[in-house]
Amino acid sequence: MPPEAALLESRTMRDSVMTRVEVLDKVKALRLLPDGVHLTTDGVARYFEVSTDVIRQLTARHRAELSENGLHVLRGSDLREYQSDNLSLSSGEGGSYPQRRSSLTLHTRRAVLNIAMLLRDSDIARCVRTYLLDAEEGWREGYASLDRRVTDVESCLGRVGVALQELGPVLNRMSYRLDSLDRRLDATNQVVAAMSNRLCEMSDRIDRVDAKVDRVAQQVGELRRGRKRR
């Protein structure tokens, strides 16, 4: 298993698991704002069971990275519009109307997960990192299993390739013999066609001979009848 320090120290490692936001709810339920998307700094501090100052200090040190993962600050008209749509966004996240303020820092789930991979002194953050590392290890084992299966398939295909190479000469000989049979069949068809033509000619000649025989027989019959009358 990769050491926990890998997540704390490596931006690349953190980026590789940044989509696994479902891990947060496996460790502890998130209390999102009424928009169902964000948490305030107070909400993040309560999730990790640390002070808001700890979260603010961490945010200040890693603002660029956290901003890429959904951390943003509302001011001016954007803040007023957001507050008008979410009237329960008081500093305690439970009041009926928002308190007047100049800015509001909002964290997405990805930003909260990002903080979990940066926050050292929080048992909740350590649990989140443990879940992430366990999931990563499971993914690596699954990948290794898949890699072995792919290797086995490649090995089988290699054996199939050898068999096809050995089968090639046999197929070539069969192809040659089939070509020879085709030529012999063509020759036989030609002979049969010639015989059929000869038979047709003989049939015509026999018909002509039969016609002649009939005429001769008719003439003979006429001669016999003529002699009887005499």
Side-chain angles (χ1 to χ4, degrees), residues 184-203:
R184 292 173 64 182
L185 285 173
D186 289 340
T188 301
N189 288 334
Q190 292 175 1
V191 171
V192 171
M195 291 178 64
S196 178
N197 291 334
R198 293 290 301 277
L199 288 174
C200 289
E201 293 174 357
M202 291 179 66
S203 177

Side-chain angles (χ1 to χ4, degrees), residues 100-136:
R100 184 179 297 276
R101 59 175 72 194
S102 60
S103 64
L104 178 64
T105 301
L106 297 178
H107 303 74
T108 62
R109 287 176 175 269
R110 284 174 65 100
V112 176
L113 183 62
N114 201 162
I115 291 173
M117 291 185 281
L118 293 168
L119 188 58
R120 296 176 182 271
D121 300 324
S122 167
D123 291 337
I124 300 299
R126 279 192 287 271
C127 287
V128 172
R129 290 194 291 271
T130 299
Y131 267 99
L132 286 173
L133 293 173
D134 288 344
E136 182 72 6

Side-chain angles (χ1 to χ4, degrees), residues 46-200:
R46 278 197 292 273
Y47 178 81
F48 290 112
E49 299 176 1
V50 297
S51 67
T52 55
D53 287 339
V54 170
I55 301 300
R56 290 192 181 98
Q57 291 170 9
L58 186 143
T59 301
R61 290 196 303 270
H62 301 278
R63 181 168 293 277
E65 180 179 344
L66 291 169
S67 295
E68 291 181 11
N69 288 301
L71 174 72
H72 58 285
V73 180
L74 298 179
R75 294 185 176 87
S77 60
D78 291 334
L79 175 59
R80 290 191 294 274
E81 181 180 356
Y82 186 83
Q83 288 179 325
S84 67
D85 293 335
N86 299 272
L87 295 180
S88 62
L89 297 183
S90 66
S91 58
E93 295 184 30
S96 58
Y97 289 93
Q99 302 296 319
R100 184 179 297 276
R101 59 175 72 194
S102 60
S103 64
L104 178 64
T105 301
L106 297 178
H107 303 74
T108 62
R109 287 176 175 269
R110 284 174 65 100
V112 176
L113 183 62
N114 201 162
I115 291 173
M117 291 185 281
L118 293 168
L119 188 58
R120 296 176 182 271
D121 300 324
S122 167
D123 291 337
I124 300 299
R126 279 192 287 271
C127 287
V128 172
R129 290 194 291 271
T130 299
Y131 267 99
L132 286 173
L133 293 173
D134 288 344
E136 182 72 6
E137 183 67 16
W139 179 87
R140 289 180 185 274
E141 291 176 357
Y143 178 81
S145 175
L146 178 61
D147 184 62
R148 289 193 296 271
R149 292 168 64 186
V150 170
T151 300
D152 292 341
V153 171
E154 290 176 343
S155 177
C156 292
L157 290 176
R159 291 194 292 271
V160 170
V162 172
L164 289 177
Q165 290 178 351
E166 295 175 351
L167 189 60
V170 177
L171 293 176
N172 288 335
R173 290 194 296 272
M174 291 181 64
S175 178
Y176 176 79
R177 293 182 64 182
L178 288 174
D179 290 340
S180 177
L181 285 173
D182 284 341
R183 290 192 295 269
R184 292 173 64 182
L185 285 173
D186 289 340
T188 301
N189 288 334
Q190 292 175 1
V191 171
V192 171
M195 291 178 64
S196 178
N197 291 334
R198 293 290 301 277
L199 288 174
C200 289

Side-chain angles (χ1 to χ4, degrees), residues 9-39:
E9 304 297 338
S10 172
R11 170 75 183 271
T12 301
M13 184 66 177
R14 292 194 293 273
D15 289 343
S16 69
V17 295
M18 193 57 69
T19 58
R20 304 299 301 273
V21 294
E22 73 281 358
V23 171
L24 295 170
D25 288 308
K26 292 181 179 180
V27 175
K28 183 179 178 181
L30 285 172
R31 293 185 59 186
L32 298 172
L33 292 171
D35 64 2
V37 177
H38 300 98
L39 290 84

